[in-house]
Amino acid sequence: MATLLFRLANVTEEEVWEVRRLLDEHGFDTYETQAGFWRLGVDAIWLRDPAQLEAAREVLERYQAGRQARAQQEHAARVAQGNAPTLWRRLWQHPVQMLLVVLAVLAILALTLAPFLGLIERIGSD
């Protein structure tokens, strides 16, 4: 019976290709599934032979540790150069998107608090 090895949800296409290549290089017998149109399935890479599970997980753990180390080094380099992403840089780069987020938050707050504000007005008028 196949075993779930690696979920592909919220994974960049670059990382998916690296994982595919890595598993192929190590000779693991895998296949992929897609979640489908209604997203009822699972986007994942499955291992056909459960006997290979421990070896495959060790390979993936080494890969992910290396990828994490590279990402941390890249972030540290950006911070040292002063190019690290910050809230103010994102505001400056995407002002319309940030404005829409703020408006959505305010709309949710207004809808959430509207019943209570109406209650306060009725109590004050009595």
Side-chain angles (χ1 to χ4, degrees):
M1 184 171 164
T3 305
L4 177 64
L5 183 62
F6 190 78
R7 290 184 185 266
L8 301 176
N10 302 319
V11 176
T12 63
E13 193 62 33
E14 173 191 357
E15 185 175 359
V16 172
W17 281 108
E18 289 176 1
V19 168
R20 286 178 186 140
R21 190 188 77 233
L22 182 70
L23 293 172
D24 190 44
E25 286 174 357
H26 284 84
F28 295 113
D29 188 16
T30 62
Y31 69 95
E32 289 185 39
T33 57
Q34 305 298 320
F37 181 75
W38 299 105
R39 309 300 299 163
L40 297 175
V42 178
D43 289 326
I45 297 176
W46 298 77
L47 189 62
R48 291 185 200 271
D49 184 7
Q52 296 179 326
L53 183 60
E54 289 302 317
R57 285 193 175 156
E58 287 176 15
V59 167
L60 283 176
E61 284 176 11
R62 283 195 308 266
Y63 162 75
Q64 288 177 336
R67 186 171 174 86
Q68 180 182 12
R70 284 191 308 271
Q72 288 174 344
Q73 288 173 350
E74 289 172 6
H75 180 71
R78 286 184 188 156
V79 168
Q81 295 172 354
N83 295 333
T86 63
L87 175 63
W88 299 114
R89 283 199 178 115
R90 288 185 183 139
L91 272 169
W92 183 254
Q93 292 171 350
H94 306 286
V96 174
Q97 181 181 8
M98 295 303 288
L99 178 65
L100 291 174
V101 168
V102 168
L103 290 175
V105 168
L106 291 174
I108 291 170
L109 277 173
L111 288 172
T112 304
L113 297 176
F116 299 107
L117 296 175
L119 179 66
I120 293 171
E121 289 175 7
R122 278 185 272 159
I123 293 172
S125 65
D126 288 341

